[in-house]
């Protein structure tokens, strides 16, 4: 697990929500208390969009010395399960946030929510309605036309109480009745046209089992749960703006001791990805990716497995800020935050991704130079690693060209190059198999160039290498963006048509021996290639699997 976040950066520019909270604290509202919550529905894994909400809710609590609850908004049992609950808890912790002893479920309040519904019925503010969903839709009206009252709207309180109790006791089939709030069928805000607050669903629930066959609706549940937990500021995304009058109406009728303030902010949207749980689930169900934790997924578990650091994600959320207008953030910004963090924290190592054998014809077969290379160019505290240098080596196939394009600084026939941290070599002969493929290079080694410049000439190129017999075979999974269209959702056709077919290429690579005992989730930079991370699930001692986290440079920016 990562280090918990205990402070938030003071350099963050103040956002409109914090301005509002400053005013509340100054005026003594809520006795100066700040209490937020992060309310995921356990119907999928969390994604990077949720990280924005997590950082905002938990970050706000930290900033104001307040509290933040984790609350599962679990009113839809047919779509929810415990696997999602567990994964969500793990992701929030991994990001570095702590709900302490405040883990709640909306389902903890089902009894209380039922009582509140009975109170509304007794006040003449809720009624049992027998319209089918189709009829209810017709009665609801449109943006330009008012709705029509349900024929059941004037049912007596006694009848409503009786029917609601029977709904609860399981007498009726799914959909036979709903409980609706009695507000205003002519309201310009359609959310106030007698919204459904309870529906019948004979469905097992992951927390309450078979106790209930009626389930409260989100809008009704959310405000009451917030009030019961003493939430002061209920932060949610902009699509709930039109629901705020219902949030306030419900609490006003019930007179609960606390009336939280709902504040809306813009969702995070990122290009080259999709971010709705429905679509992410579809990718999983249709096996277009390898599950929710696939390193190409924008889920927090996928990003973790890919090698993202919690700090990179938190920094990104801070950088995009919190505003009231929806916008699309470049995925390059996220990748920038990732590279920044990894550049500072990832030790360096060499790994040859597409091995090509090199034999140093003049280097004695019995000789081994044990070289000491620093693990980090700017952080001596990370120490050194040992790499044996031997007569037979591997370099990357892409670092050799017989007919070099202009500006090529690596190895060419008859050309010289420095092997990283070691000698200068010169390619003397190219060896081929019977079909003409290059199988190895015979090179000479300038034995006078270890830690020294070449005499009388300049050798600019530096390439990485590993010792042939001592290198460790590793699997390297080269990941790329899952979609090759900047707006997979908005493009013509289905978003699934925009899946990048080359988003995973598996290589059999050779790594320097110092990596042999890399634990799971070990992050490092393969010099000249990118940042890599051992796979959390598949990497084992003796059979290491490295995932490409991100290349050293943004290759997508160059293509555009
Ligand atoms: P999705 O639309 O991806 O299925 P959701 O909003 O239905 O997401 P919830 O589990 O209800 O998912 O979300 C929990 C919290 O995270 C909510 O407060 C929601 O507003 C917030 N959230 C979800 N997606 C984003 C996003 N892209 N940016 C910021 N906050 C988000
Ligand atoms: Mg939701």
């Amino acid at each position: 697990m990562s280090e918990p976040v205990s402070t938030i950066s003071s350099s963050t520019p103040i956002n409109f929500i914090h301005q509002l909270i400053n005013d509340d604290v100054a005026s003594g509202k809520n006795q100066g208390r700040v209490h937020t919550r992060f309310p995921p529905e356990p119907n999928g894994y969390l994604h990077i969009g949720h990280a924005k909400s997590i950082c905002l809710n938990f970050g706000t609590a930290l900033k104001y010395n307040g509290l933040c609850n984790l609350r599962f908004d679990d009113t839809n049992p047919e779509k929810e399960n415990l696997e999602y609950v567990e994964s969500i808890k793990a992701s929030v912790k991994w990001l570095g946030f702590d709900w302490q002893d405040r883990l709640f479920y909306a389902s903890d309040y089902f009894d209380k929510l039922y009582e509140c519904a009975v109170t509304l019925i007794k006040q003449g503010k809720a009624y049992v309605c027998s319209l089918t969903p189709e009829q209810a839709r017709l009665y609801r009206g449109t943006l330009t036309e008012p709705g029509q009252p349900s024929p059941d709207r004037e049912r007596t309180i006694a009848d409503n109480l009786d029917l609601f109790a029977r709904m609860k006791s399981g007498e009726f089939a799914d959909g036979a009745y709903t409980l609706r709030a009695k507000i205003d069928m002519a309201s310009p805000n359609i959310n106030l046209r007698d919204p459904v607050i309870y529906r019948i669903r004979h469905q097992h629930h992951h927390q309450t089992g078979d106790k209930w066959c009626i389930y409260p609706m989100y809008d009704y549940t959310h405000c009451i749960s917030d009030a019961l937990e003493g939430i002061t500021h209920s932060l949610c995304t902009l699509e709930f703006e039109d629901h705020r009058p219902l949030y306030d109406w419900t609490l006003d009728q019930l007179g609960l001791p606390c009336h939280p303030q709902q504040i809306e902010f813009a969702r995070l949207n990122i290009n080259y990805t999709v971010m709705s749980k429905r679509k992410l689930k579809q990718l999983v169900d249709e096996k277009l990716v390898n599950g929710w934790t696939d390193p190409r997924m924008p889920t927090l578990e996928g990003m973790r497995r890919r090698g993202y650091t919690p700090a990179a994600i938190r920094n990104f959320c801070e950088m995009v800020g919190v505003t009231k207008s929806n916008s699309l953030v470049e995925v390059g910004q996220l990748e920038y935050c990732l590279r920044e963090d990894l550049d500072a924290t990832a030790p360096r190592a060499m790994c040859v991704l597409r091995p090509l054998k090199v034999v140093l014809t003049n280097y004695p077969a019995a000789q081994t130079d044990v070289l000491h290379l620093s693990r980090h160019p700017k952080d001596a505290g990370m120490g050194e690693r040992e790499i044996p240098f031997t007569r037979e080596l591997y370099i990357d196939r892409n670092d050799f060209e017989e007919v070099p394009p202009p500006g090529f600084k690596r190895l060419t026939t008859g050309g010289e190059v420095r092997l990283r941290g070691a000698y200068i070599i010169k390619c003397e002969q190219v060896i081929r198999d019977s079909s003409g493929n290059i199988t190895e290079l015979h090179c000479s080694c300038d034995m006078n160039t270890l830690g020294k410049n070449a005499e009388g000439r300049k050798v600019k190129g530096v390439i990485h290498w590993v010792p042939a017999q001592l290198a460790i075979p590793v699997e390297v999974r080269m990941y790329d963006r899952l979609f090759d269209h900047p707006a997979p959702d908005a493009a013509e056709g289905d978003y699934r048509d925009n899946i990048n077919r080359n988003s995973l290429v598996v290589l059999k690579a050779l790594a320097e021996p110092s990596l042999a005992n890399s634990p799971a989730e070990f992050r490092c930079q393969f010099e000249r290639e990118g940042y890599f991370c051992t796979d959390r699930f598949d990497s084992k001692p003796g059979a290491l699997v490295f995932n490409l986290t991100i290349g050293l440079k943004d290759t997508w920016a160059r293509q555009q």
Side-chain angles (χ1 to χ4, degrees):
M1 276 299 130
S2 51
E3 284 286 295
V5 185
S6 53
T7 55
I8 70 163
S9 152
S10 54
S11 64
T12 318
I14 185 156
N15 64 48
F16 79 96
I17 294 179
H18 291 169
Q19 262 157 15
L20 240 140
I21 297 180
N22 283 350
D23 294 345
D24 288 348
V25 170
S27 71
K29 190 174 167 189
N30 306 305
Q31 297 81 46
R33 265 185 334 112
V34 174
H35 198 153
T36 56
R37 84 287 168 268
F38 172 63
E41 180 177 0
N43 61 351
Y45 283 51
L46 296 181
H47 53 61
I48 177 75
H50 292 112
K52 174 170 175 177
S53 179
I54 296 171
C55 291
L56 175 61
N57 279 295
F58 281 93
T60 297
L62 282 167
K63 173 166 173 163
Y64 291 93
N65 257 321
L67 301 171
C68 180
N69 299 355
L70 174 61
R71 184 202 312 141
F72 287 101
D73 163 23
D74 56 349
T75 56
N76 240 334
E78 61 269 39
K79 293 195 172 150
E80 300 164 4
N81 66 45
L82 286 176
E83 175 193 342
Y84 297 146
V85 167
E86 290 310 317
S87 147
I88 289 170
K89 289 199 279 189
S91 289
V92 174
K93 272 196 194 147
W94 176 73
L95 265 189
F97 297 107
D98 185 3
W99 56 84
Q100 294 158 330
D101 58 351
R102 293 177 314 282
L103 170 63
F104 300 116
Y105 294 83
S107 55
D108 296 342
Y109 313 129
F110 280 176
D111 283 306
K112 185 73 192 170
L113 288 158
Y114 181 81
E115 273 174 43
C116 288
V118 169
T119 303
L120 288 178
I121 295 174
K122 287 183 179 161
Q123 292 174 345
K125 286 174 182 149
Y127 60 96
V128 173
C129 178
S130 59
L131 292 181
T132 62
E134 175 63 11
Q135 289 169 325
R137 198 177 56 76
L138 292 173
Y139 275 79
R140 193 174 300 126
T142 63
L143 286 173
T144 50
E145 288 165 49
Q148 301 301 318
S150 157
D152 298 327
R153 199 168 199 263
E154 302 308 327
R155 204 191 286 284
T156 65
I157 290 175
D159 283 355
N160 282 320
L161 287 172
D162 173 61
L163 280 171
F164 189 49
R166 288 161 62 194
M167 281 167 67
K168 177 183 182 233
S169 69
E171 197 174 309
F172 308 120
D174 287 5
Y177 290 104
T178 56
L179 183 71
R180 296 175 67 177
K182 192 172 179 177
I183 311 180
D184 179 5
M185 287 307 292
S187 171
N189 183 339
I190 292 181
N191 294 301
L192 295 181
R193 293 185 188 170
D194 292 8
V196 172
I197 59 177
Y198 262 94
R199 62 211 194 298
I200 303 174
R201 284 275 186 288
H202 290 268
Q203 175 78 42
H204 186 83
H205 187 288
H206 51 100
Q207 302 298 321
T208 57
D210 295 312
K211 177 173 176 193
W212 295 91
C213 63
I214 54 171
Y215 290 99
M217 299 298 284
Y218 175 83
D219 280 335
Y220 170 75
T221 307
H222 198 73
C223 53
I224 297 175
S225 307
D226 279 349
L228 293 174
E229 290 176 17
I231 300 303
T232 56
H233 300 86
S234 178
L235 314 180
C236 65
T237 38
L238 283 180
E239 68 274 18
F240 289 101
E241 199 162 13
D242 288 346
H243 298 234
R244 188 178 351 119
L246 177 55
Y247 186 105
D248 289 333
W249 180 91
T250 308
L251 293 182
D252 287 343
Q253 311 316 307
L254 293 168
L256 295 169
C258 162
H259 189 135
Q261 181 182 3
Q262 175 178 310
I263 308 171
E264 308 86 15
F265 64 94
R267 293 176 88 79
L268 173 65
N269 297 302
I270 300 183
N271 65 6
Y272 287 100
T273 190
V274 297
M275 236 195 295
S276 106
K277 275 188 272 186
R278 190 181 60 78
K279 287 180 184 150
L280 298 179
K281 183 167 187 307
Q282 201 166 41
L283 292 171
V284 172
D285 290 345
E286 294 176 7
K287 304 213 175 336
L288 297 167
V289 294
N290 299 317
W292 286 96
T293 66
D294 186 301
R296 291 165 295 184
M297 288 281 271
T299 54
L300 294 176
E301 292 238 33
M303 294 170 76
R304 171 177 181 180
R305 199 170 164 192
R306 177 86 174 249
Y308 270 81
T309 61
I313 295 175
R314 291 194 305 263
N315 292 344
F316 169 72
C317 290
E318 204 166 282
M319 182 163 140
V320 300
V322 179
T323 66
K324 269 256 180 221
S325 51
N326 279 315
S327 63
L328 187 66
V329 174
E330 302 266 334
V331 68
Q333 277 195 53
L334 175 62
E335 294 171 348
Y336 167 84
C337 292
L338 179 60
R339 286 195 187 92
E340 274 240 313
D341 189 39
L342 290 174
D343 177 40
T345 56
R348 276 38 171 180
M350 294 195 286
C351 180
V352 172
L353 299 181
R354 303 152 209 92
L356 171 62
K357 193 163 198 180
V358 166
V359 179
L360 303 178
T361 48
N362 62 323
Y363 190 93
Q367 184 171 333
T368 301
D369 286 297
V370 178
L371 306 177
H372 295 263
L373 271 65
S374 65
R375 284 193 206 276
H376 197 285
K378 288 170 255 172
D379 184 353
M382 284 197 199
E384 292 184 330
R385 72 234 205 228
E386 273 185 6
I387 311 182
F389 185 90
T390 54
R391 173 183 164 93
E392 294 189 0
L393 311 165
Y394 284 100
I395 64 166
D396 196 287
R397 181 66 193 80
N398 291 353
D399 284 334
F400 175 74
E401 288 288 351
E402 288 190 281
V403 186
F408 189 79
K409 292 208 190 75
R410 294 162 273 168
L411 193 60
T412 60
T413 318
E416 283 188 306
V417 79
R418 177 173 295 276
L419 295 175
R420 182 99 175 110
Y423 299 89
I424 290 172
I425 63 167
K426 179 176 184 182
C427 179
E428 309 283 358
Q429 195 186 357
V430 178
I431 312 293
R432 297 169 190 281
D433 63 14
S434 53
S435 13
N437 301 312
I438 299 176
T439 53
E440 58 183 61
L441 303 178
H442 285 185
C443 298
S444 56
C445 177
D446 184 337
M447 299 300 285
N448 200 26
T449 53
L450 185 60
K452 284 189 230 158
N453 285 333
E455 255 171 53
R457 62 201 197 278
K458 281 224 161 75
V459 177
K460 283 211 193 110
V462 181
I463 64 173
H464 59 285
W465 56 276
V466 291
Q469 277 79 31
L470 296 164
I472 42 172
V474 297
E475 177 176 319
V476 176
R477 299 176 182 168
M478 301 294 283
Y479 288 108
D480 198 356
R481 293 180 186 170
L482 183 56
F483 294 96
D484 49 20
H485 193 287
D489 273 330
E492 255 176 61
D494 188 282
Y495 74 97
R496 286 164 293 187
D497 301 339
N498 297 309
I499 288 182
N500 174 4
R501 303 286 155 193
N502 301 318
S503 56
L504 171 59
V505 175
V506 179
L507 300 176
K508 296 276 163 224
L510 291 169
E512 65 171 69
S514 75
L515 292 175
N517 297 316
S518 303
E521 292 198 277
F522 169 75
R523 299 186 187 91
C524 64
Q525 183 195 98
F526 289 165
E527 292 186 83
R528 302 183 58 240
E529 294 289 359
Y531 297 98
F532 290 78
C533 176
T534 48
D535 192 86
R536 269 182 84 193
F537 305 120
D538 299 343
S539 188
K540 303 269 158 9
L544 296 178
V545 178
F546 283 91
N547 296 328
L548 171 63
T549 307
I550 188 83
L552 294 178
K553 294 208 178 79
D554 187 351
T555 50
W556 285 80
R558 253 187 273 152
Q559 287 167 21
Q560 283 162 25

